[in-house]
Amino acid sequence: MPRRRDADDAPEGVKPPAAGKAAAKKAAAKKTAAKKPAAKKPAAKKPAAKKPAAKKPAAKMPAAKMPAADRGRRATLSPEEIEALVAGRHRDPFAVLGIHPHGDRHILRAFVPGAERVEAIDAAEHVVAELDRQHPDGFFEGRVTGRPRYWLRAWRGADSWVLDDPYAFGPVLGPMDDWLIGEGTHGALYDRLGAHVVTHEGAVGVHFAVWAPNAQRVSVIGDFNGWDGRRHPMRLRLGTGVWEIFLPGLDEGTLYKYELIGRDGTLLPLKADPVGFRAELRPDTASIVYDTTRFAWNDQAWMAARAEGDLRRRPMSVYEVHLGSWRRGPEGRWLSYDELADQLVPYAKEMGFTHLELMPVGEHPFDGSWGYQPVGLFAPTARFGDPAAFARFVDRCHVEGIGVIVDWVPAHFPSDAHGLARFDGTALYEHEDPRLGFHPDWNTLIYNFGRKEVANFLLASALIWLERYHVDGLRVDAVASMLYLDYSRKDGEWVPNRFGGRENLEAVDFLKRLNETVYARCPGAFTVAEESTAWPGVSRPTYDGGLGFGFKWNMGWMHDTLVYMGEDPVHRRWHHDKMTFGLVYAFTENFILPLSHDEVVHGKRSLLDRMPGDAWQRFAQLRAYYGFMWAHPGKKLLFQGGEFAQGQEWSHERSLDWHLLDLDWHRGVQALVRDCNRLYAEERALHERDCEGEGFQWIAVDDRDASVFAWVRHGGEGARPLVCLVNMTPVPRPDYRVGVPRAGRWTERLNTDSVLYGGSNVGNAGGATAHAVPSHGFPASLTVALPPLATLWLVHEG
């Protein structure tokens, strides 16, 4: 099995000729970002320098020095087979190229387009075989003694070049890879497929492997072979449909694609590597050889600590970010991963967020998809830097005590020609039947989750983010669209499962396997489902009949409460249940309360603009809503800009309106969110029982006439209780009595109407004393001043 190349690693065994080293370095140095031709370049494009005006007699080896048996010898292959080789149509080039026995001798065959003469040389540059040209397009063969380690030296006129013949090397993948890939259980798939710099049979180069079982021929192409698909056709591993080849002399930075011929003989559009680890910046689409094994990490303490304890009982306040629009650089350019590490990470830490959630960072061709239509499931987008820069960003987050969640999209993929769509000329990753394989909402293709190789591919994608990039959590996008065969489809537009139902049984099996694998292999990592239906047990363990996610977005809570907040306060009494209904099911899942990007786009307006009334009332209601949310059971998520009351709808094409922080009201909202995060972490009652019914008790659930809500939060043993009161009308209530679990002094910990946040400063600065006067079913009670359109948090002082 080949080993990975270490820094400054030299080939083992034999040293290549000096000319071979120079050629290898020249090939590795070609890292141009120019657009690639749609089809292969003409064979006339040679890797050597320009052809001299006239041939020099000295350029040819004297006939006397040529082995007599090889002069003018007839080809050992049929004309049809030779024509197939030079046309790039041969089914098994490894069966004929390189050294092969022929009778009692060995024959060396090579295809070197543009060469007039080819000879095989050893490490000392001694000629071991002179090859006869058997086809004018560059097919050569000749006799050789045994199986020496050789290089090919090609001549065109007086010019020569040396190349290391890929067909001199054996396969890199082995029988165990075949077995595991074939059954769809390869636990190290991203280490076997894709492009990897390795040392193989004494040579340093790149091993390419790609799954395309229905292709007649697959070639790897790039600057190193003039983008000519005839030059490096790959070896098909029977039984798995995986094609592989080892190209000695290549290194990191090499641009490449795959050229495929479909089973009907059609030349397909050039394809990027499905398991590519780096890609060109759009509109260019080539993959780039990249080693993801050598990142430098400083987050050992974080990685060890995250595996301890129960995340459900720790504070989790998530700041959702679109890296391309959080903030822009000069002239509106994107910030790099390193610049984001310098600016975004300290900001999130100062604001008290525990996690950053990044909208998809996998490579995607269309900016307007926000990353939710990826073609590169293994490659951080080139928009902000290379993969090492993304790793540095994650590392910085961890060093500063902030977790990283990435949005991950296994539900569907775009139909871009260079991507997965009809990858080998067939519906390979998708379903052939559009009722199963086409998504009408997004005009995208749906993965065939029942195909074991596809499920293994998706699982490998999830694992590379967690294992290679140290990401802490995966938020799985559009889970509802995966679970239901009739999702967003009319009658007759979908195919029932084998039991006649609407559930996508293959997707269910995949999601269970995903979660089982993540929690088994990645200590402390977690998964989150964006799931908008009543599917039971989304965040219940698989052994208990659930899907196995760690958390689920509470889309119902988000929808209902935003509808309520959009009502004029005078009408809210008629919609009181919108704020209380979420507690009916709040503990059936491990919920995250999401105020995400989806709530501030497509005409929905910003959160601030969704509040009714004049400017003062809109800011007051937004602050009250945040106070309500942070005291409500469930983990928290807020999209960028919400923390300072962004006025415009979000757009991926511009920065947030940071200038708004010059205004007091916007600074006040920012200060409130900062304090909510701080108190949420400090007060155990607010986070230790977020996902357990024991952590919540209603005090006043039915005061719809006053639009007042009151409840108490409890933490674990020894945690002091916290009472939350919410007044969603502009009417101050100076002597509002509520029951509390304990008599004694209660201190005001948060008042969203404080002047510090831009409010009118009505409240209870000196706190309040509860006496043994029963109320609301509690043994004690107190009276407080409820500010208008505000939320109060009170804690017991003993």
Side-chain angles (χ1 to χ4, degrees):
M1 181 176 293
R3 63 184 181 86
R4 291 202 176 275
R5 183 212 55 196
D6 295 324
D8 301 320
D9 194 11
E12 299 171 342
V14 298
K15 300 291 184 181
K21 283 186 176 181
K25 289 181 179 179
K26 182 177 180 181
K30 292 184 177 180
K31 301 176 182 178
T32 176
K35 293 183 178 179
K36 314 306 175 296
K40 60 191 178 186
K41 290 186 177 180
K45 188 82 171 181
K46 312 303 183 300
K50 62 181 181 180
K51 182 179 178 181
K55 295 182 179 179
K56 298 179 180 180
K60 289 189 176 182
M61 180 182 290
K65 294 184 179 180
M66 295 176 62
D70 285 345
R71 277 176 282 162
R73 195 174 57 82
R74 295 178 61 183
T76 59
L77 299 182
S78 69
E80 293 78 14
E81 199 162 14
I82 294 174
E83 286 293 340
L85 277 171
V86 300
R89 298 276 175 172
H90 198 284
R91 296 296 184 99
D92 188 7
F94 275 88
V96 292
L97 296 178
I99 296 177
H100 295 275
H102 184 73
D104 59 350
R105 301 171 185 252
H106 286 84
I107 296 292
L108 194 164
R109 305 185 187 96
F111 178 51
V112 188
E116 295 174 343
R117 184 161 57 86
V118 174
E119 58 193 14
I121 58 176
D122 62 16
E125 301 194 54
H126 297 142
V127 176
V128 298
E130 181 75 19
L131 309 186
D132 291 333
R133 186 166 70 171
Q134 302 290 350
H135 193 285
D137 283 356
F139 175 70
F140 295 81
E141 72 170 29
R143 293 178 181 177
V144 63
T145 302
R147 291 180 173 273
R149 174 70 171 97
Y150 70 91
W151 287 259
L152 298 174
R153 180 158 59 197
W155 297 76
R156 184 176 181 85
D159 299 314
S160 68
W161 64 98
V162 174
L163 57 137
D164 210 348
D165 186 6
Y167 300 94
F169 294 86
V172 173
L173 301 178
M176 186 57 69
D177 293 309
D178 294 337
W179 176 270
L180 296 174
I181 292 172
E183 69 175 13
T185 60
H186 206 305
L189 192 68
Y190 65 75
D191 271 333
R192 310 307 282 154
L193 299 186
H196 299 272
V197 179
V198 297
T199 299
H200 180 49
E201 297 180 2
V204 174
V206 176
H207 174 244
F208 298 90
V210 63
W211 179 56
N214 300 303
Q216 280 190 19
R217 188 262 286 168
V218 180
S219 296
V220 61
I221 59 174
D223 291 332
F224 49 86
N225 60 16
W227 300 90
D228 184 348
R230 302 174 304 155
R231 296 285 297 278
H232 293 127
M234 304 169 77
R235 170 192 282 115
L236 174 63
R237 300 191 67 84
L238 298 177
T240 66
V242 171
W243 300 75
E244 68 164 331
I245 193 170
F246 172 71
L247 297 187
L250 298 190
D251 204 344
E252 277 194 278
T254 300
L255 277 70
Y256 70 99
K257 284 188 176 183
Y258 293 115
E259 182 183 276
L260 296 87
I261 295 177
R263 61 186 175 189
D264 62 354
T266 301
L267 184 65
L268 302 176
L270 301 183
K271 295 290 187 178
D273 193 340
V275 191
F277 305 117
R278 186 181 178 189
E280 289 186 292
L281 177 62
R282 56 95 180 109
D284 294 321
T285 57
S287 300
I288 304 173
V289 176
Y290 200 87
D291 187 351
T292 63
T293 65
R294 297 188 289 171
F295 300 142
W297 294 100
N298 303 288
D299 65 348
Q300 292 79 7
W302 169 273
M303 296 296 285
R306 80 174 193 183
E308 302 298 325
D310 184 350
L311 187 58
R312 298 175 307 160
R313 294 186 169 184
R314 297 204 295 264
M316 180 188 289
S317 183
V318 182
Y319 187 46
E320 188 190 22
V321 174
H322 178 263
L323 294 181
S325 62
W326 177 73
R327 182 177 289 164
R328 290 288 179 97
E331 299 180 353
R333 67 166 177 81
W334 295 313
L335 297 182
S336 68
Y337 290 123
D338 290 316
E339 289 172 316
L340 287 160
D342 290 338
Q343 298 179 39
L344 172 58
V345 175
Y347 177 76
K349 180 179 181 180
E350 193 270 336
M351 288 297 298
F353 289 103
T354 64
H355 291 75
L356 288 173
E357 179 172 323
L358 310 180
M359 292 169 66
V361 293
E363 196 55 79
H364 51 283
F366 177 45
D367 294 353
S369 76
W370 313 333
Y372 291 101
Q373 295 186 16
V375 295
L377 275 71
F378 296 77
T381 177
R383 289 165 174 81
F384 316 114
D386 65 10
F390 177 71
R392 289 193 297 272
F393 173 84
V394 175
D395 191 55
R396 180 76 67 85
C397 289
H398 288 172
V399 169
E400 297 298 332
I402 296 174
V404 179
I405 306 166
V406 297
D407 283 9
W408 182 63
V409 189
H412 60 126
F413 59 94
S415 58
D416 294 68
H418 70 282
L420 299 178
R422 303 197 71 84
F423 186 81
D424 63 359
T426 69
L428 185 63
Y429 287 88
E430 68 272 36
H431 291 272
E432 186 72 53
D433 189 336
R435 296 175 298 171
L436 294 168
F438 179 75
H439 203 297
D441 284 355
W442 302 308
N443 291 322
T444 52
L445 303 174
I446 300 172
Y447 288 103
N448 184 349
F449 302 107
R451 188 160 195 170
K452 54 187 180 295
E453 298 93 342
V454 174
N456 201 178
F457 164 82
L458 290 171
L459 186 60
S461 167
L463 290 172
I464 197 171
W465 297 105
L466 298 170
E467 295 177 339
R468 198 56 58 82
Y469 290 101
H470 291 200
V471 163
D472 302 287
L474 297 176
R475 178 267 199 184
V476 182
D477 182 64
V479 170
S481 75
M482 300 171 67
L483 293 175
Y484 297 98
L485 294 166
D486 64 345
Y487 184 89
S488 198
R489 297 178 188 272
K490 300 175 183 177
D491 290 343
E493 296 179 348
W494 58 282
V495 180
N497 62 34
R498 62 182 180 273
F499 301 114
R502 58 197 285 256
E503 299 82 7
N504 188 333
L505 303 179
E506 290 80 12
V508 170
D509 289 342
F510 167 73
L511 291 172
K512 289 181 176 180
R513 179 184 171 193
L514 165 72
N515 288 312
E516 290 169 351
T517 303
V518 166
Y519 282 94
R521 283 182 53 160
C522 308
F526 60 94
T527 57
V528 181
E530 186 215 14
E531 205 284 316
S532 56
T533 74
W535 186 284
V538 171
S539 58
R540 188 186 307 153
T542 57
Y543 61 75
D544 194 28
L547 293 180
F549 285 93
F551 297 93
K552 173 182 173 176
W553 273 20
N554 194 336
M555 311 290 279
W557 173 90
M558 173 273 299
H559 176 268
D560 288 349
T561 58
L562 284 176
V563 168
Y564 178 91
M565 295 305 299
E567 297 289 342
D568 189 290
V570 74
H571 300 306
R572 283 178 176 162
R573 59 182 298 182
W574 308 111
H575 304 276
H576 196 74
D577 61 303
K578 294 291 186 184
M579 298 289 268
T580 62
F581 181 67
L583 271 303
V584 173
Y585 59 86
F587 308 106
T588 60
E589 302 277 4
N590 302 323
F591 278 123
I592 294 176
L593 310 181
L595 295 178
S596 75
H597 64 277
D598 278 328
E599 311 320 313
V600 292
V601 290
H602 301 320
K604 295 179 183 176
R605 297 173 294 162
S606 69
L607 292 179
L608 178 65
D609 276 356
R610 294 174 75 156
M611 305 295 133
D614 59 26
W616 186 93
Q617 289 180 327
R618 287 189 292 117
F619 277 93
Q621 289 170 99
L622 184 61
R623 294 193 304 266
Y625 183 48
Y626 286 163
F628 166 86
M629 172 182 174
W630 258 260
H632 193 286
K635 307 307 180 184
K636 325 303 174 191
L637 181 142
L638 184 63
F639 182 57
Q640 63 183 38
E643 80 278 11
F644 62 80
Q646 166 87 7
Q648 298 186 85
E649 270 196 348
W650 170 64
S651 169
H652 71 277
E653 296 179 322
R654 63 173 183 265
S655 169
L656 296 178
D657 295 331
W658 292 100
H659 62 275
L660 294 176
L661 288 171
D662 293 337
L663 305 175
D664 290 342
W665 281 350
H666 292 275
R667 284 200 307 273
V669 173
Q670 184 188 51
L672 172 70
V673 172
R674 184 189 301 115
D675 284 349
C676 283
N677 280 332
R678 175 177 58 83
L679 295 173
Y680 172 63
E682 290 177 1
E683 294 294 337
R684 294 171 53 195
L686 287 176
H687 64 259
E688 286 188 346
R689 295 293 185 266
D690 261 336
C691 305
E692 302 165 55
E694 297 83 355
F696 179 88
Q697 280 180 285
W698 276 115
I699 298 173
V701 65
D702 56 358
D703 191 359
R704 63 176 59 247
D705 289 337
S707 294
V708 170
F709 309 86
W711 64 84
V712 60
R713 295 292 307 276
H714 299 283
E717 185 177 353
R720 61 184 181 180
L722 182 145
V723 168
C724 177
L725 299 101
V726 183
N727 177 14
M728 284 300 183
T729 70
V731 180
R733 305 189 185 279
D735 295 301
Y736 193 88
R737 178 171 292 277
V738 290
V740 291
R742 299 178 188 175
R745 195 70 180 166
W746 290 76
T747 300
E748 193 176 84
R749 284 287 271 162
L750 183 79
N751 179 352
T752 66
D753 191 50
S754 167
V755 68
L756 298 174
Y757 310 135
S760 60
N761 220 32
V762 174
N764 308 269
T769 300
H771 300 283
V773 178
S775 179
H776 295 90
F778 288 86
S781 63
L782 51 75
T783 59
V784 294
L786 283 184
L789 298 172
T791 295
L792 300 179
W793 295 355
L794 306 175
V795 294
H796 188 257
E797 296 292 350

